[in-house]
Amino acid sequence: RDIRGAVGQWTGIPVSVGIGATKTLAKLASEIAKKSAAADGVYRLTGSARRRVLAQTPLPAIWGIGNRLAARLKGDGLHTALDLHDAADGWIRRRMGVVGLRTAMELRGISCLDMETQPADRKSAIVSRSFARPLERFDDLHDAVMAFAARAAEKLRRERLLGGSVTVFVRTNRFNPREAQYRNAATVALEFPSSHTSDIGRAAAKALEGLFRPGYRYKKAGVMMCDLIGESRVQPDLFAAAADGDRAKRLMEAFDEINRRLGRGAIGYGSAAVRRGWRTQRTRLSPGYTTDWNGLPVVRG
């Protein structure tokens, strides 16, 4: 309760705390903490209360069981989390496989899902924005995509990851049926995994050239990095000079340090630093109460 109160006081973000013997039970407890006024944001699902709560919990509310699987289990006579808790192991494995058996064991208080002390490396990184006004010229769309590519490269470097391929997507405004609609995506594989802005920018530009169609009003675009791998796990190029790789890495480190000190966008790479004809849609931007003095609400007497 102290943690919940501190988070609420310092950030204004409501937090619910669920406590259980396993991750699945803790997840269920956190839902009760969130919805029950009596719990006041904190609920411990242990002891004799467990069977009572499981009997009141429908199958779709269990972490990892969706509506489709719940409907199938309903046909077998299972309606609540307690029904799954009490079902025979052999039957569960035949009907739901190993994953379903793990879920049942978790409901019984037997931990089958390891705690993650560190987040796993991400599999992809995406940067996308909607534009304040539709873009029709290739140059404007190109500048936007280059800015997104630079931001995606920055994300990879911050997490010490390298990307193996670059996907670019574009789309028109699907909420305006009076305009001609178009959406497409293209992927370009990098010769070697990289987080260098230049490499990612060139691949993004090549993908965009194959996507652009004149006559459309583009409302959104994005760049997604795929096939990510940790810097320490990449196989170096046998024929490339080690000095070239070190020089490129130092260049990007200096690049990022300047932007950290002077603010993002202090320096840019090629057309990624230019916004000649495009701006992002910011009319619904969330206020920065905790990070921006100008975002503080003003109370007038």
Side-chain angles (χ1 to χ4, degrees), residues 169-184:
F169 66 85
V170 296
R171 66 181 61 162
T172 54
N173 186 358
R174 60 191 177 95
F175 298 106
N176 188 349
R178 292 175 297 178
E179 292 185 351
Q181 298 296 311
Y182 172 71
R183 59 185 298 171
N184 206 347

Side-chain angles (χ1 to χ4, degrees), residues 111-191:
S111 180
C112 299
L113 302 175
D114 294 334
M115 296 296 295
E116 298 173 1
T117 56
Q118 286 187 327
D121 288 344
R122 62 164 78 209
K123 303 300 181 183
S124 62
I126 185 170
V127 178
S128 65
R129 300 286 187 275
S130 294
F131 305 125
R133 63 171 183 82
L135 304 182
E136 300 181 62
R137 299 174 59 247
F138 175 81
D139 289 346
D140 294 337
L141 193 60
H142 175 270
D143 292 344
V145 168
M146 291 302 98
F148 301 158
R151 179 76 181 100
E154 181 184 335
K155 280 188 175 183
L156 297 191
R157 294 193 294 270
R158 187 173 61 240
E159 299 184 28
R160 299 190 178 280
L161 297 172
L162 304 176
S165 63
V166 181
T167 296
V168 175
F169 66 85
V170 296
R171 66 181 61 162
T172 54
N173 186 358
R174 60 191 177 95
F175 298 106
N176 188 349
R178 292 175 297 178
E179 292 185 351
Q181 298 296 311
Y182 172 71
R183 59 185 298 171
N184 206 347
T187 300
V188 173
L190 299 177
E191 187 175 2

Side-chain angles (χ1 to χ4, degrees), residues 1-143:
R1 292 186 184 279
D2 289 342
I3 293 172
R4 180 175 181 268
V7 173
Q9 179 183 357
W10 296 347
T11 69
I13 300 173
V15 174
S16 59
V17 180
I19 302 169
T22 66
K23 292 175 73 172
T24 301
L25 289 174
K27 178 74 171 175
L28 183 56
S30 71
E31 290 298 315
I32 297 173
K34 185 186 304 181
K35 298 175 181 177
S36 171
D40 192 27
V42 181
Y43 188 80
R44 183 180 64 183
L45 183 55
T46 56
S48 59
R50 190 172 72 199
R51 288 189 65 86
R52 174 176 54 81
V53 170
L54 294 182
Q56 298 171 354
T57 303
L59 285 174
I62 302 173
W63 185 28
I65 295 184
N67 290 326
R68 183 176 300 178
L69 177 57
R72 198 173 74 202
L73 294 176
K74 185 177 180 180
D76 295 323
L78 275 66
H79 301 275
T80 68
L82 186 61
D83 293 335
L84 180 60
H85 174 284
D86 293 340
D89 290 355
W91 184 89
I92 296 173
R93 180 153 188 168
R94 287 193 303 273
R95 294 292 290 163
M96 303 174 62
V98 175
V99 175
L101 183 57
R102 287 176 183 164
T103 299
M105 299 291 278
E106 287 260 322
L107 293 175
R108 297 168 188 167
I110 302 171
S111 180
C112 299
L113 302 175
D114 294 334
M115 296 296 295
E116 298 173 1
T117 56
Q118 286 187 327
D121 288 344
R122 62 164 78 209
K123 303 300 181 183
S124 62
I126 185 170
V127 178
S128 65
R129 300 286 187 275
S130 294
F131 305 125
R133 63 171 183 82
L135 304 182
E136 300 181 62
R137 299 174 59 247
F138 175 81
D139 289 346
D140 294 337
L141 193 60
H142 175 270
D143 292 344

Side-chain angles (χ1 to χ4, degrees), residues 196 240-255 269:
H196 198 290
D244 293 339
D246 291 340
R247 189 179 301 111
K249 185 176 181 179
R250 290 198 303 272
L251 172 63
M252 290 293 96
E253 288 174 350
F255 190 92
Y269 206 98

